[in-house]
Amino acid sequence: MPIYHEWIGVLDGLVNAQIRAQVTGYLISQDYREGDPIKKGDLLFQIDPRPFKAALDQAKGLLAQAEARCGKTALDVKRYAPLVKDKAISQEEYDDAVQADLEAKAAVVSAKAQVEQAQLNYEFTRITSPIDGIASIAKAQIGDLVGPASGELTTVSTINPIKAYYRVTEQAYINFTKLFSTETDRIERLKQLEIELLLTDGTVSPLKGKIFAAGRQIGSTTGALRVEALFPNPGNALRPGEFARVRVKFDLKHDALLVPQRAVSELQGSYQVAVVDADNKVHIQPVKVGDRTGNLWIIEDGLHPGQRAVVEGTQKMREGVTVITTNFVAEPVLQS
């Protein structure tokens, strides 16, 4: 009998890139269709580039002027060098020429930086996707004034593979760690776990997933550890925001004794099953329960194969009463 544990999970993109404007300007176009697959580098929005083109041209003009001044000061230094040796000019005049040349070179470096910044701002008017994925519905429209402080324009999510995150209770995590003597063994086991995704309509995703990451701490408010798993998502059928049950196969138990969950009653923290003997008399039998799997419960102690357990009408059962029995039609095991 495979031992499964289930948790409620939420699907999310492997990468969710929030697209924002890096320069301030008016949107003049939206160049993608919302919800369609896009590639890295595809154009999403266009900001009016004219002010930034003008600033770039101005910066290039200032750079040309700075380079011209730098050329002149360099010639002055070259011309004054032999003159100062011959005492044709004073040392002060020569030093002034050298200082002017240094300032001119610094001005060129500054002008080049301004050109690079203007070029970068001009390129930022084309807002492109940094990743492959699916783009969400736009949050800005053509004509809007956008900028670094205006919020996200859209989000691009990588959804193949898609990520499912769920929370494991602290006790479940402790029980899992006790199975391994070293962290290396535990990590290796995590990589080997089979993970299935049960969708809200009851179907099981045909492709199994793998553990992607586990959180670094137990949540102080939830008392649980966040775990993330990756599932193949060909065709992008699964989308971020969907709820699903994450089912993890932890073990395979041999010679398991199973009863339907409805046959087990809980009373003040202990469990019991009503069994019927050969004379059709009821006996209330304390049992030790194990893991649940689907709609069945593994009984660790208290029952043996061949006994008849009451599944329907357990609330009417009393020790020693005689009953008339009929065969119970078992429900399909959910994990099959």
Side-chain angles (χ1 to χ4, degrees):
M1 174 59 64
I3 304 301
Y4 291 95
H5 288 187
E6 291 185 5
W7 294 276
I8 300 298
V10 180
L11 302 186
D12 198 6
L14 175 60
V15 178
N16 298 307
Q18 294 183 350
I19 308 301
R20 299 175 182 268
Q22 298 187 64
V23 293
T24 300
Y26 290 95
L27 285 183
I28 60 173
S29 68
Q30 177 181 326
D31 297 273
Y32 76 99
R33 183 175 177 180
E34 296 162 330
D36 278 1
I38 58 176
K39 296 292 185 181
K40 180 179 179 179
D42 283 355
L43 182 63
L44 302 177
F45 298 96
Q46 175 72 61
I47 293 176
D48 187 356
R50 291 174 298 175
F52 301 94
K53 182 63 167 60
L56 176 59
D57 291 342
Q58 183 182 21
K60 288 180 178 179
L62 294 175
L63 173 60
Q65 293 177 4
E67 288 176 337
R69 285 194 297 271
C70 185
K72 181 180 181 305
T73 57
L75 287 175
D76 289 344
V77 171
K78 186 177 180 180
R79 186 171 64 251
Y80 287 178
L83 296 178
V84 73
K85 290 180 180 180
D86 297 336
K87 307 293 184 177
I89 62 172
S90 67
Q91 183 66 41
E92 183 180 1
E93 288 177 302
Y94 178 74
D95 291 343
D96 288 343
V98 172
Q99 183 63 33
D101 185 50
L102 293 175
E103 292 176 355
K105 290 178 178 177
V108 169
V109 173
S110 178
K112 285 182 177 179
Q114 292 178 10
V115 170
E116 291 176 0
Q117 183 61 59
Q119 179 69 44
L120 194 60
N121 289 340
Y122 178 66
E123 293 173 358
F124 281 154
T125 61
R126 290 174 51 86
I127 302 174
T128 59
S129 175
I131 60 172
D132 296 346
I134 301 291
S136 68
I137 295 174
K139 296 183 178 180
Q141 307 211 357
I142 295 174
D144 286 355
L145 179 64
V146 299
S150 62
E152 65 182 81
L153 306 178
T154 188
T155 299
V156 180
S157 296
T158 299
I159 60 175
N160 184 24
I162 197 166
K163 180 169 60 179
Y165 63 87
Y166 56 98
R167 299 188 182 276
V168 175
T169 62
E170 182 177 2
Q171 186 59 55
Y173 175 73
I174 292 174
N175 293 341
F176 178 75
T177 58
K178 288 180 178 178
L179 300 176
F180 306 95
S181 57
T182 66
E183 183 181 12
T184 302
D185 293 339
R186 184 169 68 249
I187 294 175
E188 188 62 29
R189 177 55 178 153
L190 283 174
K191 294 178 181 179
Q192 297 172 356
L193 289 177
E194 293 183 7
I195 308 177
E196 295 179 333
L197 202 62
L198 284 72
L199 305 180
T200 53
D201 62 355
T203 60
V204 179
S205 179
L207 299 176
K208 291 181 172 58
K210 293 290 185 181
I211 294 291
F212 174 65
R216 68 176 181 87
Q217 67 180 25
I218 304 295
S220 58
T221 57
T222 62
L225 179 72
R226 174 165 167 155
V227 180
E228 297 178 349
L230 291 184
F231 291 87
N233 187 27
N236 301 327
L238 302 173
R239 294 297 179 106
E242 286 188 57
F243 284 90
R245 283 185 296 159
V246 177
R247 185 167 67 187
V248 182
K249 181 181 177 182
F250 269 98
D251 199 4
L252 189 66
K253 188 176 182 64
H254 299 278
D255 299 324
L257 195 153
L258 305 170
V259 297
Q261 290 185 18
R262 287 186 293 174
V264 181
S265 302
E266 183 179 2
L267 181 63
Q268 297 180 350
S270 59
Y271 297 89
Q272 59 188 26
V273 174
V275 296
V276 181
D277 63 16
D279 298 326
N280 284 345
K281 287 188 177 182
V282 173
H283 298 284
I284 306 301
Q285 182 67 41
V287 296
K288 178 182 178 182
V289 298
D291 291 299
R292 298 187 187 189
T293 174
N295 49 23
L296 300 175
W297 210 329
I298 296 177
I299 303 300
E300 300 286 357
D301 190 28
L303 296 180
H304 58 79
Q307 285 185 292
R308 293 185 294 171
V310 177
V311 178
E312 298 286 357
T314 54
Q315 68 277 9
K316 301 177 183 179
M317 295 299 99
R318 299 293 183 272
E319 178 70 28
V321 301
T322 301
V323 296
I324 299 174
T325 64
T326 59
N327 290 332
F328 171 69
V329 179
E331 299 176 355
V333 179
L334 291 182
Q335 78 272 3
S336 298

